[in-house]
Amino acid sequence: SGPNLRTFNYNYQFTPREKREAREIRNIIKFFKKQMAPKRKGKLFLESPNVFKLKYIFKGGRQHPFLNKIKMCALQSFNVTYAPDGSYMTYDDGSMTAYNVNMTFGELNPIYENDYDDNSNDMGF
């Protein structure tokens, strides 16, 4: 039925143990929200959001030899559950005791036969 664009779902549980970790979690959440938003160009035009290069890394930062490669992606959805344990709980500074982050990335280009290198030491796409 033709080439398809793949999606990749990631789910992370963040549980800060101190103020510094709570601030870092807030920065991570804010970063992804901002990067997936379109940019204004003047008052009439929009530019596309940022794209991401996802990679499963192995020793020394190389591509993991037994996991798939991923082409350039757009962040299609980003959801935060601010009370993943079922009840509203905060620390003294107002930060939540836990956060659950769900992200869906979608590839921008399909995979073709010539994307595979038979001589490489990885899983391919």
Side-chain angles (χ1 to χ4, degrees):
S1 64
N4 293 320
L5 298 175
R6 301 180 299 174
T7 58
F8 299 92
N9 299 306
Y10 298 97
N11 184 24
Y12 294 98
Q13 177 88 26
F14 293 113
T15 308
R17 294 170 291 183
E18 59 187 28
K19 286 183 181 184
R20 182 185 57 80
E21 287 182 355
R23 283 191 308 269
E24 190 64 29
I25 291 167
R26 183 177 58 198
N27 291 341
I28 289 168
I29 292 170
K30 191 183 292 186
F31 170 83
F32 282 108
K33 285 181 175 183
K34 182 177 180 179
Q35 300 308 310
M36 73 179 293
K39 299 173 189 74
R40 284 190 193 163
K41 187 169 184 172
K43 292 187 178 185
L44 239 66
F45 298 102
L46 295 176
E47 291 182 350
S48 61
N50 288 334
V51 295
F52 296 86
K53 177 64 180 156
L54 305 179
K55 181 179 180 181
Y56 300 110
I57 56 174
F58 193 57
K59 297 177 183 175
R62 297 182 323 238
Q63 171 69 37
H64 197 291
F66 293 96
L67 292 175
N68 62 297
K69 289 196 240 182
I70 303 172
K71 290 191 170 189
M72 290 298 286
C73 290
L75 182 53
Q76 295 176 332
S77 75
F78 184 84
N79 298 300
V80 181
T81 304
Y82 294 96
D85 299 324
S87 62
Y88 175 82
M89 291 186 291
T90 67
Y91 292 114
D92 290 338
D93 65 352
S95 66
M96 303 303 293
T97 58
Y99 302 83
N100 192 35
V101 173
N102 295 295
M103 298 183 278
T104 300
F105 291 91
E107 284 183 321
L108 299 173
N109 296 304
I111 298 166
Y112 298 102
E113 184 269 340
N114 65 337
D115 289 328
Y116 290 93
D117 180 5
D118 290 335
N119 298 320
S120 68
N121 186 30
D122 59 40
M123 189 64 69
F125 292 94

mmCIF file of all heavy atoms in Angstrom, residues 1-39:
data_model
loop_
_atom_site.group_PDB
_atom_site.id
_atom_site.type_symbol
_atom_site.label_atom_id
_atom_site.label_comp_id
_atom_site.label_asym_id
_atom_site.label_seq_id
_atom_site.Cartn_x
_atom_site.Cartn_y
_atom_site.Cartn_z
ATOM 1 N N SER A 1 0.824 -1.202 0.000
ATOM 2 C CA SER A 1 0.000 0.000 0.000
ATOM 3 C C SER A 1 0.867 1.265 0.000
ATOM 4 O O SER A 1 0.355 2.335 0.260
ATOM 5 C CB SER A 1 -0.942 -0.016 1.192
ATOM 6 O OG SER A 1 -0.198 0.027 2.391
ATOM 7 N N GLY A 2 2.152 1.130 -0.202
ATOM 8 C CA GLY A 2 3.031 2.297 -0.276
ATOM 9 C C GLY A 2 3.822 2.508 0.992
ATOM 10 O O GLY A 2 3.560 1.889 2.024
ATOM 11 N N PRO A 3 4.802 3.382 0.929
ATOM 12 C CA PRO A 3 5.618 3.656 2.115
ATOM 13 C C PRO A 3 4.809 4.387 3.191
ATOM 14 O O PRO A 3 3.893 5.149 2.877
ATOM 15 C CB PRO A 3 6.752 4.527 1.592
ATOM 16 C CG PRO A 3 6.328 5.010 0.263
ATOM 17 C CD PRO A 3 5.244 4.116 -0.236
ATOM 18 N N ASN A 4 5.129 4.105 4.424
ATOM 19 C CA ASN A 4 4.447 4.724 5.561
ATOM 20 C C ASN A 4 5.422 5.549 6.378
ATOM 21 O O ASN A 4 6.624 5.283 6.394
ATOM 22 C CB ASN A 4 3.841 3.654 6.467
ATOM 23 C CG ASN A 4 2.720 2.904 5.795
ATOM 24 O OD1 ASN A 4 1.921 3.508 5.094
ATOM 25 N ND2 ASN A 4 2.666 1.604 5.996
ATOM 26 N N LEU A 5 4.896 6.516 7.075
ATOM 27 C CA LEU A 5 5.682 7.285 8.036
ATOM 28 C C LEU A 5 5.472 6.664 9.420
ATOM 29 O O LEU A 5 4.335 6.472 9.853
ATOM 30 C CB LEU A 5 5.243 8.751 8.041
ATOM 31 C CG LEU A 5 5.430 9.492 6.723
ATOM 32 C CD1 LEU A 5 4.857 10.898 6.819
ATOM 33 C CD2 LEU A 5 6.899 9.545 6.345
ATOM 34 N N ARG A 6 6.555 6.337 10.077
ATOM 35 C CA ARG A 6 6.463 5.680 11.386
ATOM 36 C C ARG A 6 6.313 6.704 12.501
ATOM 37 O O ARG A 6 6.744 7.849 12.378
ATOM 38 C CB ARG A 6 7.711 4.839 11.650
ATOM 39 C CG ARG A 6 7.949 3.765 10.620
ATOM 40 C CD ARG A 6 9.188 2.957 10.916
ATOM 41 N NE ARG A 6 10.389 3.794 10.911
ATOM 42 C CZ ARG A 6 11.606 3.371 11.252
ATOM 43 N NH1 ARG A 6 11.785 2.116 11.626
ATOM 44 N NH2 ARG A 6 12.638 4.179 11.216
ATOM 45 N N THR A 7 5.726 6.269 13.599
ATOM 46 C CA THR A 7 5.673 7.082 14.813
ATOM 47 C C THR A 7 6.358 6.320 15.942
ATOM 48 O O THR A 7 6.416 5.085 15.944
ATOM 49 C CB THR A 7 4.220 7.407 15.228
ATOM 50 O OG1 THR A 7 3.516 6.192 15.430
ATOM 51 C CG2 THR A 7 3.528 8.256 14.183
ATOM 52 N N PHE A 8 6.875 7.076 16.884
ATOM 53 C CA PHE A 8 7.586 6.506 18.032
ATOM 54 C C PHE A 8 7.053 7.161 19.294
ATOM 55 O O PHE A 8 7.010 8.383 19.405
ATOM 56 C CB PHE A 8 9.096 6.752 17.906
ATOM 57 C CG PHE A 8 9.680 6.117 16.686
ATOM 58 C CD1 PHE A 8 9.769 6.838 15.498
ATOM 59 C CD2 PHE A 8 10.112 4.807 16.703
ATOM 60 C CE1 PHE A 8 10.290 6.253 14.355
ATOM 61 C CE2 PHE A 8 10.630 4.219 15.567
ATOM 62 C CZ PHE A 8 10.721 4.945 14.387
ATOM 63 N N ASN A 9 6.629 6.333 20.230
ATOM 64 C CA ASN A 9 6.069 6.811 21.495
ATOM 65 C C ASN A 9 7.062 6.577 22.627
ATOM 66 O O ASN A 9 7.646 5.494 22.735
ATOM 67 C CB ASN A 9 4.757 6.080 21.811
ATOM 68 C CG ASN A 9 3.718 6.333 20.754
ATOM 69 O OD1 ASN A 9 3.407 7.474 20.444
ATOM 70 N ND2 ASN A 9 3.184 5.275 20.178
ATOM 71 N N TYR A 10 7.217 7.597 23.444
ATOM 72 C CA TYR A 10 8.102 7.504 24.605
ATOM 73 C C TYR A 10 7.337 7.983 25.829
ATOM 74 O O TYR A 10 6.585 8.952 25.770
ATOM 75 C CB TYR A 10 9.362 8.350 24.404
ATOM 76 C CG TYR A 10 10.174 7.889 23.224
ATOM 77 C CD1 TYR A 10 10.043 8.505 21.989
ATOM 78 C CD2 TYR A 10 11.048 6.821 23.338
ATOM 79 C CE1 TYR A 10 10.778 8.072 20.896
ATOM 80 C CE2 TYR A 10 11.790 6.382 22.245
ATOM 81 C CZ TYR A 10 11.643 7.013 21.031
ATOM 82 O OH TYR A 10 12.360 6.585 19.943
ATOM 83 N N ASN A 11 7.547 7.302 26.945
ATOM 84 C CA ASN A 11 6.874 7.618 28.193
ATOM 85 C C ASN A 11 7.933 7.695 29.288
ATOM 86 O O ASN A 11 8.693 6.743 29.479
ATOM 87 C CB ASN A 11 5.831 6.547 28.516
ATOM 88 C CG ASN A 11 5.031 6.865 29.736
ATOM 89 O OD1 ASN A 11 4.898 8.014 30.122
ATOM 90 N ND2 ASN A 11 4.482 5.840 30.361
ATOM 91 N N TYR A 12 7.972 8.827 29.979
ATOM 92 C CA TYR A 12 8.960 9.023 31.046
ATOM 93 C C TYR A 12 8.253 9.435 32.333
ATOM 94 O O TYR A 12 7.353 10.268 32.321
ATOM 95 C CB TYR A 12 9.970 10.114 30.672
ATOM 96 C CG TYR A 12 10.832 9.733 29.505
ATOM 97 C CD1 TYR A 12 10.520 10.180 28.230
ATOM 98 C CD2 TYR A 12 11.939 8.923 29.674
ATOM 99 C CE1 TYR A 12 11.309 9.820 27.142
ATOM 100 C CE2 TYR A 12 12.729 8.561 28.593
ATOM 101 C CZ TYR A 12 12.401 9.020 27.335
ATOM 102 O OH TYR A 12 13.173 8.668 26.262
ATOM 103 N N GLN A 13 8.702 8.851 33.425
ATOM 104 C CA GLN A 13 8.230 9.230 34.755
ATOM 105 C C GLN A 13 9.351 10.041 35.412
ATOM 106 O O GLN A 13 10.479 9.554 35.528
ATOM 107 C CB GLN A 13 7.926 7.981 35.591
ATOM 108 C CG GLN A 13 7.493 8.260 36.997
ATOM 109 C CD GLN A 13 6.013 8.460 37.137
ATOM 110 O OE1 GLN A 13 5.240 7.960 36.345
ATOM 111 N NE2 GLN A 13 5.608 9.187 38.149
ATOM 112 N N PHE A 14 9.036 11.263 35.810
ATOM 113 C CA PHE A 14 10.002 12.115 36.512
ATOM 114 C C PHE A 14 9.563 12.251 37.954
ATOM 115 O O PHE A 14 8.409 12.586 38.234
ATOM 116 C CB PHE A 14 10.064 13.513 35.890
ATOM 117 C CG PHE A 14 10.636 13.553 34.503
ATOM 118 C CD1 PHE A 14 9.845 13.891 33.425
ATOM 119 C CD2 PHE A 14 11.972 13.271 34.279
ATOM 120 C CE1 PHE A 14 10.357 13.952 32.144
ATOM 121 C CE2 PHE A 14 12.499 13.331 33.002
ATOM 122 C CZ PHE A 14 11.699 13.669 31.936
ATOM 123 N N THR A 15 10.485 12.015 38.878
ATOM 124 C CA THR A 15 10.211 12.161 40.303
ATOM 125 C C THR A 15 11.353 12.953 40.935
ATOM 126 O O THR A 15 12.404 12.387 41.249
ATOM 127 C CB THR A 15 10.085 10.782 40.988
ATOM 128 O OG1 THR A 15 9.135 10.002 40.258
ATOM 129 C CG2 THR A 15 9.630 10.914 42.419
ATOM 130 N N PRO A 16 11.179 14.270 41.079
ATOM 131 C CA PRO A 16 12.273 15.075 41.645
ATOM 132 C C PRO A 16 12.485 14.767 43.119
ATOM 133 O O PRO A 16 11.534 14.546 43.869
ATOM 134 C CB PRO A 16 11.783 16.512 41.442
ATOM 135 C CG PRO A 16 10.304 16.407 41.373
ATOM 136 C CD PRO A 16 10.007 15.067 40.772
ATOM 137 N N ARG A 17 13.763 14.751 43.498
ATOM 138 C CA ARG A 17 14.109 14.503 44.891
ATOM 139 C C ARG A 17 14.599 15.757 45.600
ATOM 140 O O ARG A 17 14.768 15.757 46.809
ATOM 141 C CB ARG A 17 15.184 13.424 44.974
ATOM 142 C CG ARG A 17 14.678 12.069 44.490
ATOM 143 C CD ARG A 17 15.802 11.106 44.363
ATOM 144 N NE ARG A 17 16.618 11.584 43.243
ATOM 145 C CZ ARG A 17 17.678 10.966 42.767
ATOM 146 N NH1 ARG A 17 18.077 9.848 43.302
ATOM 147 N NH2 ARG A 17 18.347 11.451 41.741
ATOM 148 N N GLU A 18 14.865 16.807 44.828
ATOM 149 C CA GLU A 18 15.343 18.066 45.409
ATOM 150 C C GLU A 18 14.963 19.216 44.488
ATOM 151 O O GLU A 18 14.525 18.996 43.362
ATOM 152 C CB GLU A 18 16.857 18.016 45.619
ATOM 153 C CG GLU A 18 17.624 17.775 44.338
ATOM 154 C CD GLU A 18 19.118 17.556 44.567
ATOM 155 O OE1 GLU A 18 19.474 17.073 45.644
ATOM 156 O OE2 GLU A 18 19.882 17.897 43.671
ATOM 157 N N LYS A 19 15.126 20.460 44.960
ATOM 158 C CA LYS A 19 14.726 21.643 44.201
ATOM 159 C C LYS A 19 15.413 21.714 42.843
ATOM 160 O O LYS A 19 14.789 22.071 41.844
ATOM 161 C CB LYS A 19 15.027 22.912 44.991
ATOM 162 C CG LYS A 19 14.087 23.152 46.126
ATOM 163 C CD LYS A 19 14.405 24.463 46.810
ATOM 164 C CE LYS A 19 13.457 24.682 47.972
ATOM 165 N NZ LYS A 19 13.661 25.970 48.614
ATOM 166 N N ARG A 20 16.687 21.383 42.795
ATOM 167 C CA ARG A 20 17.432 21.451 41.538
ATOM 168 C C ARG A 20 16.837 20.499 40.504
ATOM 169 O O ARG A 20 16.663 20.852 39.337
ATOM 170 C CB ARG A 20 18.906 21.107 41.780
ATOM 171 C CG ARG A 20 19.784 21.205 40.545
ATOM 172 C CD ARG A 20 21.204 20.736 40.830
ATOM 173 N NE ARG A 20 21.265 19.377 41.344
ATOM 174 C CZ ARG A 20 21.176 18.282 40.606
ATOM 175 N NH1 ARG A 20 21.011 18.357 39.314
ATOM 176 N NH2 ARG A 20 21.256 17.081 41.157
ATOM 177 N N GLU A 21 16.472 19.298 40.913
ATOM 178 C CA GLU A 21 15.847 18.339 39.993
ATOM 179 C C GLU A 21 14.472 18.819 39.555
ATOM 180 O O GLU A 21 14.104 18.664 38.386
ATOM 181 C CB GLU A 21 15.744 16.962 40.648
ATOM 182 C CG GLU A 21 17.060 16.248 40.766
ATOM 183 C CD GLU A 21 16.939 14.855 41.364
ATOM 184 O OE1 GLU A 21 15.820 14.463 41.777
ATOM 185 O OE2 GLU A 21 17.955 14.159 41.419
ATOM 186 N N ALA A 22 13.711 19.421 40.446
ATOM 187 C CA ALA A 22 12.386 19.949 40.091
ATOM 188 C C ALA A 22 12.520 21.047 39.042
ATOM 189 O O ALA A 22 11.748 21.089 38.076
ATOM 190 C CB ALA A 22 11.667 20.465 41.333
ATOM 191 N N ARG A 23 13.502 21.931 39.191
ATOM 192 C CA ARG A 23 13.733 22.988 38.194
ATOM 193 C C ARG A 23 14.154 22.395 36.854
ATOM 194 O O ARG A 23 13.717 22.848 35.797
ATOM 195 C CB ARG A 23 14.791 23.969 38.693
ATOM 196 C CG ARG A 23 14.281 24.946 39.740
ATOM 197 C CD ARG A 23 15.258 26.071 40.012
ATOM 198 N NE ARG A 23 16.599 25.613 40.328
ATOM 199 C CZ ARG A 23 17.060 25.366 41.555
ATOM 200 N NH1 ARG A 23 16.265 25.541 42.594
ATOM 201 N NH2 ARG A 23 18.288 24.955 41.749
ATOM 202 N N GLU A 24 14.989 21.370 36.896
ATOM 203 C CA GLU A 24 15.437 20.732 35.656
ATOM 204 C C GLU A 24 14.276 20.052 34.927
ATOM 205 O O GLU A 24 14.164 20.138 33.696
ATOM 206 C CB GLU A 24 16.548 19.723 35.951
ATOM 207 C CG GLU A 24 17.237 19.202 34.728
ATOM 208 C CD GLU A 24 17.996 20.268 33.958
ATOM 209 O OE1 GLU A 24 18.458 21.250 34.561
ATOM 210 O OE2 GLU A 24 18.111 20.118 32.721
ATOM 211 N N ILE A 25 13.397 19.409 35.656
ATOM 212 C CA ILE A 25 12.213 18.785 35.051
ATOM 213 C C ILE A 25 11.330 19.853 34.416
ATOM 214 O O ILE A 25 10.849 19.691 33.291
ATOM 215 C CB ILE A 25 11.441 17.960 36.099
ATOM 216 C CG1 ILE A 25 12.257 16.736 36.504
ATOM 217 C CG2 ILE A 25 10.061 17.560 35.576
ATOM 218 C CD1 ILE A 25 11.746 16.027 37.732
ATOM 219 N N ARG A 26 11.131 20.970 35.124
ATOM 220 C CA ARG A 26 10.350 22.074 34.558
ATOM 221 C C ARG A 26 10.989 22.574 33.266
ATOM 222 O O ARG A 26 10.296 22.826 32.280
ATOM 223 C CB ARG A 26 10.231 23.206 35.569
ATOM 224 C CG ARG A 26 9.370 24.360 35.066
ATOM 225 C CD ARG A 26 9.196 25.444 36.086
ATOM 226 N NE ARG A 26 10.494 25.954 36.495
ATOM 227 C CZ ARG A 26 10.697 26.659 37.599
ATOM 228 N NH1 ARG A 26 9.703 26.938 38.409
ATOM 229 N NH2 ARG A 26 11.905 27.092 37.900
ATOM 230 N N ASN A 27 12.322 22.681 33.236
ATOM 231 C CA ASN A 27 13.027 23.124 32.027
ATOM 232 C C ASN A 27 12.880 22.124 30.881
ATOM 233 O O ASN A 27 12.730 22.523 29.726
ATOM 234 C CB ASN A 27 14.507 23.363 32.323
ATOM 235 C CG ASN A 27 14.741 24.563 33.205
ATOM 236 O OD1 ASN A 27 13.877 25.428 33.329
ATOM 237 N ND2 ASN A 27 15.889 24.610 33.846
ATOM 238 N N ILE A 28 12.915 20.839 31.183
ATOM 239 C CA ILE A 28 12.742 19.804 30.145
ATOM 240 C C ILE A 28 11.343 19.895 29.546
ATOM 241 O O ILE A 28 11.176 19.894 28.321
ATOM 242 C CB ILE A 28 12.994 18.398 30.736
ATOM 243 C CG1 ILE A 28 14.488 18.216 31.046
ATOM 244 C CG2 ILE A 28 12.513 17.307 29.780
ATOM 245 C CD1 ILE A 28 14.797 16.982 31.893
ATOM 246 N N ILE A 29 10.329 20.008 30.397
ATOM 247 C CA ILE A 29 8.944 20.096 29.919
ATOM 248 C C ILE A 29 8.755 21.355 29.074
ATOM 249 O O ILE A 29 8.183 21.309 27.981
ATOM 250 C CB ILE A 29 7.960 20.035 31.104
ATOM 251 C CG1 ILE A 29 7.986 18.637 31.732
ATOM 252 C CG2 ILE A 29 6.545 20.434 30.674
ATOM 253 C CD1 ILE A 29 7.239 18.519 33.048
ATOM 254 N N LYS A 30 9.256 22.477 29.565
ATOM 255 C CA LYS A 30 9.128 23.732 28.829
ATOM 256 C C LYS A 30 9.866 23.671 27.498
ATOM 257 O O LYS A 30 9.377 24.165 26.475
ATOM 258 C CB LYS A 30 9.678 24.882 29.671
ATOM 259 C CG LYS A 30 9.354 26.250 29.107
ATOM 260 C CD LYS A 30 9.976 27.366 29.920
ATOM 261 C CE LYS A 30 9.350 27.475 31.281
ATOM 262 N NZ LYS A 30 9.841 28.649 32.046
ATOM 263 N N PHE A 31 11.046 23.032 27.462
ATOM 264 C CA PHE A 31 11.817 22.903 26.230
ATOM 265 C C PHE A 31 11.014 22.198 25.142
ATOM 266 O O PHE A 31 10.891 22.690 24.020
ATOM 267 C CB PHE A 31 13.119 22.130 26.495
ATOM 268 C CG PHE A 31 13.852 21.738 25.249
ATOM 269 C CD1 PHE A 31 14.691 22.634 24.610
ATOM 270 C CD2 PHE A 31 13.694 20.473 24.699
ATOM 271 C CE1 PHE A 31 15.351 22.277 23.442
ATOM 272 C CE2 PHE A 31 14.350 20.111 23.538
ATOM 273 C CZ PHE A 31 15.190 21.015 22.910
ATOM 274 N N PHE A 32 10.451 21.038 25.456
ATOM 275 C CA PHE A 32 9.717 20.280 24.445
ATOM 276 C C PHE A 32 8.440 21.001 24.017
ATOM 277 O O PHE A 32 8.084 20.987 22.837
ATOM 278 C CB PHE A 32 9.425 18.864 24.925
ATOM 279 C CG PHE A 32 10.617 17.955 24.822
ATOM 280 C CD1 PHE A 32 11.297 17.543 25.949
ATOM 281 C CD2 PHE A 32 11.074 17.523 23.588
ATOM 282 C CE1 PHE A 32 12.402 16.713 25.848
ATOM 283 C CE2 PHE A 32 12.174 16.697 23.472
ATOM 284 C CZ PHE A 32 12.843 16.292 24.608
ATOM 285 N N LYS A 33 7.734 21.630 24.937
ATOM 286 C CA LYS A 33 6.540 22.393 24.564
ATOM 287 C C LYS A 33 6.903 23.506 23.581
ATOM 288 O O LYS A 33 6.193 23.740 22.601
ATOM 289 C CB LYS A 33 5.873 22.988 25.808
ATOM 290 C CG LYS A 33 5.124 21.986 26.650
ATOM 291 C CD LYS A 33 4.499 22.714 27.838
ATOM 292 C CE LYS A 33 3.627 21.807 28.654
ATOM 293 N NZ LYS A 33 2.979 22.539 29.768
ATOM 294 N N LYS A 34 7.986 24.203 23.867
ATOM 295 C CA LYS A 34 8.404 25.319 23.005
ATOM 296 C C LYS A 34 8.866 24.828 21.641
ATOM 297 O O LYS A 34 8.539 25.416 20.612
ATOM 298 C CB LYS A 34 9.521 26.108 23.688
ATOM 299 C CG LYS A 34 9.973 27.305 22.901
ATOM 300 C CD LYS A 34 11.026 28.102 23.645
ATOM 301 C CE LYS A 34 11.457 29.302 22.825
ATOM 302 N NZ LYS A 34 12.459 30.109 23.535
ATOM 303 N N GLN A 35 9.630 23.735 21.602
ATOM 304 C CA GLN A 35 10.197 23.254 20.341
ATOM 305 C C GLN A 35 9.147 22.705 19.391
ATOM 306 O O GLN A 35 9.355 22.679 18.182
ATOM 307 C CB GLN A 35 11.271 22.194 20.603
ATOM 308 C CG GLN A 35 12.437 22.675 21.442
ATOM 309 C CD GLN A 35 13.068 23.949 20.917
ATOM 310 O OE1 GLN A 35 13.387 24.068 19.741
ATOM 311 N NE2 GLN A 35 13.243 24.913 21.804
ATOM 312 N N MET A 36 8.011 22.259 19.904
ATOM 313 C CA MET A 36 6.977 21.705 19.023
ATOM 314 C C MET A 36 5.994 22.768 18.539
ATOM 315 O O MET A 36 5.148 22.496 17.699
ATOM 316 C CB MET A 36 6.235 20.557 19.704
ATOM 317 C CG MET A 36 5.279 20.967 20.797
ATOM 318 S SD MET A 36 4.419 19.577 21.548
ATOM 319 C CE MET A 36 3.386 19.005 20.230
ATOM 320 N N ALA A 37 6.131 23.984 19.048
ATOM 321 C CA ALA A 37 5.217 25.057 18.660
ATOM 322 C C ALA A 37 5.696 25.734 17.374
ATOM 323 O O ALA A 37 6.899 25.905 17.160
ATOM 324 C CB ALA A 37 5.128 26.091 19.782
ATOM 325 N N PRO A 38 4.748 26.134 16.492
ATOM 326 C CA PRO A 38 5.156 26.870 15.287
ATOM 327 C C PRO A 38 5.714 28.239 15.666
ATOM 328 O O PRO A 38 5.388 28.785 16.717
ATOM 329 C CB PRO A 38 3.859 26.990 14.481
ATOM 330 C CG PRO A 38 2.761 26.757 15.445
ATOM 331 C CD PRO A 38 3.312 25.927 16.558
ATOM 332 N N LYS A 39 6.550 28.775 14.800
ATOM 333 C CA LYS A 39 7.165 30.077 15.034
ATOM 334 C C LYS A 39 6.438 31.129 14.209
ATOM 335 O O LYS A 39 6.067 30.871 13.071
ATOM 336 C CB LYS A 39 8.636 30.030 14.623
ATOM 337 C CG LYS A 39 9.451 29.031 15.388
ATOM 338 C CD LYS A 39 10.845 28.957 14.786
ATOM 339 C CE LYS A 39 11.626 27.829 15.354
ATOM 340 N NZ LYS A 39 11.238 26.522 14.883
#
